[in-house]
Amino acid sequence: MAIEYGLNEEQEMLKTMARDFLANECPMTHVRELMEDETGFDPELWKKMAEVGWLGLVFPEEYGGSGMNFRDLSILLEEMGRAVLPGPFVSTLLLVGMPVLAYGTEEQKNEILPKIASGEAVCTLAALEEDGDWWADSINIRADYRGGHYVINGTKLFVPDAKVADYMLIAARTKRTENPEEGITLFLLDTKEVYGTMSTLLKTMDETRKQYEVVFLNVPISAENILGEVHQGWPIMKQIALHTTAALCAEMVGAGEKVLEMTVDYLKERIAFGVPIGSFQALQHRASDLVIGLEYSRSLMEWAAETIKENDLDAATAVAMAKSFCGDTCKKVVAEGIQMHGGIGFTWDHDMHLYFKRVWTDDNAFGDSNYQREVVAKTLDEIHQLAGGGRWAKTAGRLTQMG
Amino acid sequence: MADEGPEKLEALRQEVRAWLKENLPEGWGSPGYVAPERGSKEAHDLGKAWQKKLCEAGYTGFGIPTEYGGIERSRAEIAVIREEMLRTGTPPPAASLGPMIVIPTLLRYGNDEQKKRFIPKILSGEESWCECFSEPDAGSDLANIQKTGVRDGDEWVVNGQSVWTSGSKFADWGVVPVKTDPNAPRHRNLSYFVFDCTSPGFEVRPLKQMTGDAEFSETFFDNMRIPHENMVGEEGQGWYVAMATLEAERGGGIQFVAPSRRIEPTTLGGVDIYVELAKNTKRRGMTVWDDPLFRQRIAQFAIENEAMRHSRERMRVKAMKRQLTGNEQSIGSIFSREKNQRQANMVAEIMGANIQFMRGDPRALDDGSWTYTFLRTRGNTIETGTTEILRGIIAERMLGLPRSRG
Ligand SMILES: Cc1cc2nc3c(=O)[nH]c(=O)nc-3n(C[C@H](O)[C@H](O)[C@H](O)COP(=O)(O)OP(=O)(O)OC[C@H]3O[C@@H](n4cnc5c(N)ncnc54)[C@H](O)[C@@H]3O)c2cc1C
Ligand SMILES: Cc1cc2nc3c(=O)[nH]c(=O)nc-3n(C[C@H](O)[C@H](O)[C@H](O)COP(=O)(O)OP(=O)(O)OC[C@H]3O[C@@H](n4cnc5c(N)ncnc54)[C@H](O)[C@@H]3O)c2cc1C
């Protein structure tokens, strides 16, 4: 696989365009307005995002999309991270649009994708439940087959953007066997056509992203609305997790770089002891550490995006590596950003905490850095067994490569 | 350059494999193989001989103009060669300073005669090099160099002292910045020379370091004469030439590094060795690999190795677009050196009581090389500029923060 390092001309344009667009259409003052709004959704802004082609960015043109690739998408997400953009972009495109494109029937694709691209349809995924754990065993709300259709009962938690979603993808259990990854089915619900769901806004830390509890009470849904095969929803969920995790890495790196820039500016401006605080080595060295962390975060993030773009076999490992490193680093960046701002960085009116909350929430989603590192460890174990082990005595000299 | 077809690359891979089998030292890779002692003449000669073989086979000198003994190879070919070398491991390049720092410095500041005279013999392993930069009172504060050079006809007469000069015991040539204009301000008072280590007046006194061997030495210049033609760059330009040397050193020879294209045992192999060690080490009835704390640390190194690989590639692309200033080298330099140290610490903790065995004790694993590494890596964060100095470079030159006041 040939990895494209750096951006081509079109990607540079996309990036500049996205930065300008977000600065004009969703400056921090507007982010804060949307935080106060119960849905965090701005239909006007959404329409403009559709007009510039973002909502169908990675869909083929036949579904009203722009036919761009995952790396392009990740460039957009970096900019959204810099802007702490509120609203259902990730929910709509990553959690629903891309899986429908990959696994949907022709009818499903024709129904939903053009609506997403044009801004008519907002979507979300109802996956997590009470324990908030991203793994198959935690999916327990039931979809029972009765009288020719399924009936869903139970409660989903941490459902983003549920209130404004026109379509909701639901992971429900249709069968319980020894293997928890078996027997999960994904249903695609048109929220305007069904009754029996109730969404309640959760009071959560990152107010730029609204999350809900969604209760399903005898919600009927036809087998036609299954995405993929019955009982076979988990592999799709894993794919959703893979893509969204890569996307969140881009968002975290964007946020982290912005925080570093804001912090460096502050270090140059703020005077204490008669000098700019950026002349204190204690702060200089810490700022340098953030530069180092972000360089490697970006390197892994771009690689992960490329592996997804190329549908490469390394994608799962690349994404786990990227998420683990970006998560650790960006959590540190936002914490240091607050610290180096002193008291002002701790206030509500300063934007530091918005980045802090966004990054910590992103890191947690779909498995945090520690979990991802364990995924890498499992891969190492497999590779070790494949390689046959037993070679270490030969290779010890490699350890001393430096100096 | 376009990629070769897969068949050609596979043929190259087989060629390198066969070549390694033929050319690696007798017994290499077998548990009984005992490497020559670090810092010994034997180790140095082995490094030189290895460099010579690499050169003859066309496995070194990539990207260096052919008129100076280099060779053109595609990135894919270089990747294959490196992968195969990583797979078996190779003798440590005792003569590494020549290729790593002298060639880039000469390519940037040397005149044509100097390039023609010195580069081919570095590549062929015939001549090894040392770097006489640090002095007792000029380490981090390198611009404080006190060595003096006074012009005498076609020669410069040099007096003074260096310290911590790695590899100088056996080096054939050296590089040295010398104060040639005592009246000029800092950064404009130095000139940079290459000199023959057999010159009368040059003396080397080995210094034992914490590993127990003497890789570096004190070096003395007592009315040592250097022909004027051995000045690299202009008179008074020595500080900037020295910075080019340090940049190359901190980049660790980026120009010779090629990426492999997929994750495979060789790349994750940077840590496969730790997986193996952890699986073979038992602590209180459980293998170290089964301890999540260690497993996570090992996985972290796999992640960091990949990160470094991709960062190097990003830098390479930026360099091609002329978007690098040179200060970026500090990023990789700090990260890789500190990672080396953290890795060695982890190994020491995995091995527990056994890390104590040094070379020479029959119980020492791999002839004590793990313990050697554990100790040697302490120097990694000091040599070629301490990690504090490099952090300062990032802060002041990359981020544009005001000059530090301590
Ligand atoms: C939760 C909270 C409660 C508080 N309650 C009170 C209160 O009740 N009463 C009250 O009077 N104050 C209170 N404060 C204010 C607090 O004491 C100050 O915020 C703190 O002393 C830092 O000062 P500053 O905000 O001006 O930051 P600055 O002094 O501007 O510092 C900014 C950054 O520069 C660093 N820095 C500054 N000088 C140096 C130096 N010489 N060397 C290295 N680094 C340096 C700081 O460590 C910090 O990281 C409170 C603050 C918080 C966060
Ligand atoms: C294994 C090894 C091999 C070496 N090989 C060579 C060689 O081949 N050729 C050669 O010329 N030199 C060599 N050196 C020397 C090396 O370059 C110097 O040791 C290094 O530059 C530090 O200088 P110093 O030892 O004088 O320490 P000092 O400069 O005295 O530093 C002491 C401590 O103070 C810190 N410090 C100093 N200034 C600052 C500052 N402005 N801000 C913050 N912290 C500061 C340093 O980071 C360090 O922690 C080698 C060193 C080692 C350990």
Side-chain angles (χ1 to χ4, degrees):
Chain A
M1 175 195 138
I3 303 174
E4 304 284 337
Y5 294 94
L7 303 184
N8 61 34
E9 229 167 277
E10 279 166 33
Q11 288 170 330
E12 291 284 4
M13 271 168 54
L14 177 67
K15 179 176 161 156
T16 313
M17 188 270 251
R19 191 166 296 187
D20 292 347
F21 178 94
L22 291 167
N24 290 326
E25 305 296 338
C26 195
M28 275 301 171
T29 45
H30 193 50
V31 171
R32 284 177 181 268
E33 283 164 12
L34 291 172
M35 283 165 64
E36 303 297 322
D37 183 274
E38 207 205 333
T39 62
F41 178 62
D42 172 357
E44 283 303 305
L45 176 60
W46 196 248
K47 228 170 83 194
K48 286 180 188 158
M49 285 165 65
E51 279 161 14
V52 289
W54 290 3
L55 301 182
L57 195 82
V58 291
F59 301 158
E61 281 164 27
E62 54 181 307
Y63 302 114
S66 317
M68 293 173 87
N69 64 42
F70 195 85
R71 178 72 186 277
D72 304 324
L73 178 60
S74 78
I75 293 166
L76 214 51
L77 280 151
E78 278 178 42
E79 295 305 317
M80 293 177 178
R82 288 179 71 94
V84 226
L85 178 72
F89 184 82
V90 172
S91 320
T92 301
L93 208 60
L94 275 302
L95 298 182
V96 179
M98 289 184 63
V100 167
L101 177 64
Y103 300 97
T105 62
E106 211 42 55
E107 287 85 65
Q108 287 170 334
K109 288 195 269 191
N110 281 321
E111 182 194 336
I112 294 174
L113 300 182
K115 283 194 203 159
I116 291 179
S118 67
E120 277 168 81
V122 168
C123 307
T124 193
L125 170 72
L128 297 181
E129 298 182 15
E130 204 74 48
D131 64 5
D133 261 356
W134 176 263
W135 73 317
D137 221 4
S138 289
I139 292 175
N140 290 308
I141 81 162
R142 295 177 50 166
D144 299 320
Y145 193 65
R146 268 188 241 141
H149 58 261
Y150 288 88
V151 179
I152 303 183
N153 272 296
T155 301
K156 288 285 185 186
L157 262 192
F158 306 107
V159 182
D161 307 304
K163 204 93 182 190
V164 291
D166 301 289
Y167 290 93
M168 188 181 289
L169 191 60
I170 303 158
R173 193 156 284 287
T174 41
K175 193 170 75 180
R176 237 309 153 200
T177 65
E178 284 280 285
N179 178 3
E181 299 190 358
E182 277 261 336
I184 292 168
T185 305
L186 292 178
F187 295 94
L188 200 49
L189 202 79
D190 184 336
T191 57
K192 288 186 294 300
E193 286 188 357
V194 299
Y195 297 93
T197 69
M198 202 177 66
S199 307
T200 313
L201 180 67
L202 302 171
K203 186 143 178 61
T204 48
M205 185 168 88
D206 177 6
E207 295 193 42
T208 65
R209 262 190 193 144
K210 306 298 179 185
Q211 299 178 70
Y212 299 81
E213 175 195 69
V214 183
V215 178
F216 298 85
L217 191 66
N218 289 324
V219 177
I221 185 159
S222 126
E224 277 169 29
N225 292 338
I226 290 175
L227 181 68
E229 304 287 322
V230 70
H231 306 320
Q232 302 300 316
W234 187 250
I236 302 179
M237 292 278 277
K238 278 173 50 177
Q239 196 71 2
I240 295 173
L242 185 72
H243 292 172
T244 311
T245 303
L248 294 179
C249 289
E251 197 177 81
M252 285 194 287
V253 170
E257 288 181 352
K258 175 73 184 176
V259 166
L260 176 62
E261 287 169 23
M262 290 163 68
T263 304
V264 168
D265 286 346
Y266 191 70
L267 294 179
K268 291 176 186 170
E269 278 161 23
R270 171 71 174 166
I271 306 287
F273 303 94
V275 294
I277 58 173
S279 61
F280 298 128
Q281 214 175 51
L283 302 185
Q284 289 194 341
H285 286 194
R286 285 159 67 177
S288 302
D289 281 338
L290 306 188
V291 172
I292 296 169
L294 286 169
E295 165 61 27
Y296 294 106
S297 295
R298 172 169 283 287
S299 300
L300 286 168
M301 177 275 281
E302 291 186 356
W303 172 50
E306 285 280 328
T307 60
I308 290 180
K309 175 184 117 193
E310 300 285 330
N311 203 10
D312 190 82
L313 285 172
D314 290 338
T317 306
V319 170
M321 286 183 160
K323 180 72 180 309
S324 180
F325 198 93
C326 294
D328 276 346
T329 302
C330 295
K331 283 190 290 188
K332 177 171 154 186
V333 171
V334 290
E336 290 280 84
I338 292 176
Q339 173 66 17
M340 290 194 244
H341 275 80
I344 193 94
F346 184 71
T347 61
W348 187 265
D349 283 348
H350 200 281
D351 293 332
M352 275 291 145
H353 73 107
L354 304 186
Y355 289 96
F356 181 90
K357 292 166 181 174
R358 172 64 68 89
V359 163
W360 276 78
T361 315
D362 279 355
D363 175 62
N364 176 264
F366 302 99
D368 69 1
S369 22
N370 298 316
Y371 165 85
Q372 305 292 351
R373 212 168 6 251
E374 192 59 31
V375 171
V376 174
K378 286 214 175 72
T379 308
L380 292 177
D381 204 346
E382 281 160 23
I383 287 176
H384 183 73
Q385 285 172 25
L386 273 178
R391 302 176 304 134
W392 68 311
K394 292 178 213 165
T395 42
R398 263 197 251 154
L399 280 172
T400 53
Q401 55 176 324
M402 298 221 67
Chain B
M1 202 179 297
D3 279 1
E4 275 68 15
E7 301 84 23
K8 258 185 102 175
L9 287 179
E10 187 51 35
L12 175 65
R13 190 180 294 282
Q14 295 309 329
E15 174 203 305
V16 178
R17 252 179 224 188
W19 185 87
L20 282 168
K21 210 174 232 167
E22 186 76 9
N23 288 282
L24 278 168
E26 184 77 27
W28 181 262
S30 68
Y33 176 75
V34 178
E37 190 158 10
R38 307 260 169 193
S40 67
K41 178 91 170 76
E42 205 191 343
H44 176 261
D45 290 346
L46 177 63
K48 268 183 152 184
W50 182 247
Q51 179 69 28
K52 181 161 188 277
K53 285 183 173 182
L54 286 177
C55 184
E56 284 166 356
Y59 297 156
T60 187
F62 313 132
I64 292 169
T66 43
E67 52 183 316
Y68 308 133
I71 182 170
E72 292 262 342
R73 286 222 185 247
S74 74
R75 300 179 44 69
E77 286 180 318
I78 299 170
V80 164
I81 295 169
R82 279 189 53 85
E83 275 167 27
E84 290 309 311
M85 304 256 163
L86 273 173
R87 201 185 295 278
T88 55
T90 60
S96 65
L97 279 180
M100 195 186 352
I101 67 169
V102 182
I103 292 179
T105 305
L106 289 177
L107 285 176
R108 197 151 146 199
Y109 285 103
N111 59 35
D112 201 48
E113 282 96 74
Q114 290 168 340
K115 288 188 259 198
K116 285 204 172 107
R117 160 66 187 83
F118 294 111
I119 296 178
K121 289 196 174 173
I122 293 174
L123 287 175
S124 69
E126 272 170 81
E127 289 173 352
S128 64
W129 286 70
C130 65
E131 178 193 26
C132 299
F133 278 27
S134 305
E135 296 182 0
D137 291 322
S140 298
D141 186 10
L142 185 63
N144 193 39
I145 282 173
Q146 298 300 326
K147 275 182 218 82
T148 54
V150 177
R151 182 111 190 215
D152 179 18
D154 280 346
E155 292 180 330
W156 290 85
V157 180
V158 176
N159 278 289
Q161 174 192 352
S162 261
V163 71
W164 328 126
T165 320
S166 301
S168 50
K169 263 187 302 184
F170 311 117
D172 302 297
W173 283 82
V175 289
V176 63
V178 172
K179 206 197 276 186
T180 47
D181 182 354
N183 300 317
R186 257 167 91 95
H187 300 166
R188 302 196 186 283
N189 54 0
L190 302 174
S191 301
Y192 189 106
F193 295 94
V194 296
F195 70 94
D196 183 342
C197 292
T198 60
S199 309
F202 182 64
E203 191 197 341
V204 178
R205 293 183 206 153
L207 282 170
K208 197 164 170 176
Q209 56 204 38
M210 66 178 278
T211 49
D213 57 352
E215 220 178 323
F216 56 37
S217 307
E218 286 180 294
T219 43
F220 296 87
F221 300 79
D222 180 13
N223 287 320
M224 190 191 88
R225 286 175 174 267
I226 307 179
H228 178 72
E229 62 191 36
N230 285 357
M231 184 184 284
V232 180
E234 305 291 320
E235 192 175 333
Q237 202 188 13
W239 172 256
Y240 299 96
V241 186
M243 286 304 102
T245 304
L246 286 181
E247 224 176 78
E249 195 169 9
R250 289 164 189 171
I254 275 188
Q255 65 274 32
F256 306 113
V257 176
S260 74
R261 322 199 111 219
R262 320 185 39 82
I263 310 174
E264 44 180 304
T266 42
T267 28
L268 285 178
V271 303
D272 191 45
I273 188 168
Y274 304 130
V275 177
E276 177 82 5
L277 180 63
K279 286 191 169 208
N280 282 288
T281 309
K282 275 209 169 144
R283 274 299 159 65
R284 296 170 196 96
M286 165 169 110
T287 76
V288 169
W289 178 252
D290 288 327
D291 178 342
L293 276 179
F294 278 107
R295 207 164 56 223
Q296 287 254 329
R297 279 164 85 180
I298 293 171
Q300 179 66 24
F301 290 125
I303 295 168
E304 292 176 7
N305 286 346
E306 281 302 320
M308 282 170 50
R309 231 155 58 80
H310 298 293
S311 170
R312 274 198 297 267
E313 283 304 292
R314 276 171 38 72
M315 296 285 182
R316 189 185 56 77
V317 170
K318 279 191 173 177
M320 280 182 343
K321 294 185 183 168
R322 304 196 180 283
Q323 292 169 344
L324 288 189
T325 61
N327 298 322
E328 298 83 355
Q329 310 289 27
S330 300
I331 296 176
S333 185
I334 294 171
F335 191 72
S336 61
R337 280 152 219 280
E338 292 185 344
K339 180 178 78 79
N340 257 18
Q341 233 169 47
R342 284 185 284 120
Q343 271 175 187
N345 293 353
M346 178 186 73
V347 167
E349 288 170 25
I350 291 177
M351 287 176 60
N354 290 312
I355 193 71
Q356 299 174 88
F357 292 119
M358 302 279 292
R359 179 187 170 96
D361 191 291
R363 289 170 197 80
L365 195 55
D366 288 332
D367 201 31
S369 67
W370 301 82
T371 310
Y372 171 83
T373 300
F374 172 60
L375 298 173
R376 177 62 181 82
T377 49
R378 299 311 109 182
N380 286 167
T381 45
I382 301 169
E383 57 198 317
T384 98
T386 71
T387 41
E388 285 81 24
I389 291 300
L390 298 185
R391 280 188 168 82
I393 290 176
I394 296 178
E396 292 178 12
R397 307 223 198 112
M398 286 183 72
L399 297 178
L401 290 173
R403 260 195 92 83
S404 97
R405 292 153 215 262

